[in-house]
Amino acid sequence: MAGITLQNISKSFGATRVLRDVDLDIRDGEFLTLVGPSGCGKSTLLRIIAGLESQSGGHVAIGGRAVDQVRASERDLAMVFQSYALYPHLSVRQNIEMPLRLRDLNAWERLPLLGLLSAGRAAKMRRLRAQVAETAEILKIEELMDRKPGQLSGGQRQRVALGRAMVRKPAAFLMDEPLSNLDAALRVHMRSELAELHRSPATTFIYVTHDQSEALTMSDRMAVMMGGEILQLGTPDEIYHDPRDLRVGQFIGTPQINVFDAVISGGQGVTVNGVPLAAEVTGDGDLAFVAVRPEHLTLLPADGAGQPLTVPLKENLGADFFIHGHIGDGAAPVIVRATPAEAADVAIGSVCALAPLKAGEVMAFGRDHARLDLVMTGAPAAVLERV
């Protein structure tokens, strides 16, 4: 096991700058996820850690040892790719054995026939096969060992790819969107298996994904990346409930957070879409937006207090309903998460109202997308009060 430290990592492909002075300290034994939209630089950063790509600037250290000039094969890291990268002509057993053969057997011992004459080969092969059997037992793939990759399902291939990485007992696992080729049900199942595998050997995991649900459910910490930078690093709860950048709040969370244009008026008072909000912004900052998570909005009958909401769409997700609406002339779209009971009386095309909000449920952001301090004043107010 080992911690990994990145200092001022930058990377450019010609005139295109992909990574911008990234600093990251990955703790020994933690599950850290790099999450962000396609093209944000997360896979490039993972490849730099693995040694498959060289950085344009900055330093990488593994277990306190600088590895900038160390080849990928000598960094004691195991990488699991999106495509699995299994050898199609070898059995599952042979695929898992391969990294141990390359590491533990010399060139003579790896020869098909002449290698059998080596005095120490038999003992090495016994140890090697014991390690393979132990890994297969952990992954519950013992019955697949004599099959070829073409005879396996997507989930089974993923387990084999994990086994090939696990068998070496590396200092850290690097995973580049390993579940993206699986169907939705299998992805959910494999998320729980990966989380359990991480707890079992307590090995450092660095996991790259654009799927926020994977990041939220498996990570000890997650780093949200955009434009080659880490916008926020923290636990899943911190990232979701306390985004420090509007782009983080918009990327993390399903359905997406509701965002309204806002300005400061009358001192520190807040006006949202031209309507007063019973709140004040404290400290410095150029207020531009307020945001509210869909689960913090509650629907009331149309004659209730609050801002009228016209409902053009209602999504049924079983345990939850997503009520899509708009206020005023439709310039401010709103999504409300509702229970089946709350959504039962809401019909498409109907008009209802948004209930008053509680303190702490509204977030403010500046023109530069940075978080601002917002204090609710007076009695709880609807997100947009009637005027």
Side-chain angles (χ1 to χ4, degrees), residues 177-196:
E177 306 209 37
L179 307 185
S180 60
N181 289 335
L182 305 181
D183 60 62
L186 191 53
R187 280 202 302 271
V188 173
H189 175 69
M190 288 303 297
R191 286 206 306 258
S192 62
E193 288 205 0
L194 282 174
E196 186 176 347

Side-chain angles (χ1 to χ4, degrees), residues 288-370:
F289 311 99
V290 297
V292 187
R293 291 286 183 194
E295 62 269 25
H296 291 154
L297 295 175
T298 304
L299 296 174
L300 296 174
D303 57 355
Q307 180 71 20
L309 181 76
T310 304
V311 179
L313 176 64
K314 184 168 83 168
E315 291 184 284
N316 183 353
L317 277 74
D320 289 311
F321 277 76
F322 296 159
I323 308 299
H324 295 252
H326 57 77
I327 53 179
D329 59 0
V334 178
I335 302 177
V336 181
R337 183 194 295 271
T339 65
E342 292 169 336
D345 296 329
V346 178
I348 293 176
S350 66
V351 177
C352 48
L354 297 176
L357 285 169
K358 298 177 182 177
E361 294 178 347
V362 184
M363 293 176 275
F365 297 90
R367 199 165 303 281
D368 60 354
H369 299 134

Side-chain angles (χ1 to χ4, degrees), residues 8-233:
N8 299 111
I9 297 296
S10 62
K11 178 65 179 180
S12 298
F13 294 101
T16 303
R17 197 171 183 190
V18 179
L19 294 173
R20 304 171 182 272
D21 301 322
V22 174
D23 290 313
L24 184 60
D25 188 9
I26 303 163
R27 301 163 187 160
D28 184 12
E30 85 167 325
F31 195 127
L32 183 129
T33 301
L34 301 173
V35 61
S38 297
C40 70
K42 56 189 184 295
S43 291
T44 301
L45 186 61
L46 192 75
R47 290 174 63 83
I48 287 173
I49 296 171
L52 301 176
E53 196 81 58
S54 60
Q55 65 266 33
S56 302
H59 304 283
V60 179
I62 300 175
R65 178 175 70 106
V67 295
D68 298 322
Q69 306 303 320
V70 177
R71 297 173 57 185
S73 59
E74 299 172 355
R75 294 193 180 191
D76 193 23
L77 301 173
M79 192 156 183
V80 180
F81 297 93
Q82 178 179 347
S83 61
Y84 314 136
L86 301 176
Y87 298 106
H89 62 292
L90 300 181
S91 68
V92 168
R93 178 178 286 103
Q94 291 168 327
N95 266 282
I96 298 176
E97 282 180 358
M98 186 57 67
L100 295 181
R101 284 174 172 267
L102 294 174
R103 185 189 68 183
D104 297 342
L105 303 183
N106 58 41
W108 174 265
E109 292 168 337
R110 291 198 296 267
L111 293 175
L113 296 176
L114 295 177
L116 298 175
L117 303 176
S118 174
R121 186 181 187 277
K124 289 182 180 180
M125 288 302 299
R126 283 194 295 271
R127 290 195 299 269
L128 183 154
R129 285 169 180 155
Q131 288 178 258
V132 170
E134 178 186 356
T135 300
E137 183 179 358
I138 292 172
L139 292 171
K140 299 178 175 60
I141 56 172
E142 300 100 314
E143 71 281 3
L144 307 177
M145 299 300 279
D146 294 321
R147 297 187 192 178
K148 299 289 181 63
Q151 299 172 303
L152 305 178
S153 68
Q156 290 170 336
R157 292 181 199 178
Q158 185 60 70
R159 287 190 185 92
V160 175
L162 286 170
R164 190 176 57 183
M166 289 173 56
V167 75
R168 292 196 298 108
K169 298 182 179 177
F173 290 95
L174 311 181
M175 300 188 178
D176 190 3
E177 306 209 37
L179 307 185
S180 60
N181 289 335
L182 305 181
D183 60 62
L186 191 53
R187 280 202 302 271
V188 173
H189 175 69
M190 288 303 297
R191 286 206 306 258
S192 62
E193 288 205 0
L194 282 174
E196 186 176 347
L197 284 172
H198 168 253
R199 289 191 296 269
S200 177
T203 307
T204 306
F205 274 43
I206 307 174
Y207 189 98
V208 162
T209 184
H210 65 273
D211 187 335
Q212 56 169 298
S213 60
E214 293 180 11
L216 289 168
T217 55
M218 295 191 294
S219 310
D220 294 324
R221 290 190 301 162
M222 49 194 289
V224 183
M225 293 187 65
M226 290 186 190
E229 300 176 310
I230 294 178
L231 298 184
Q232 188 170 348
L233 173 67

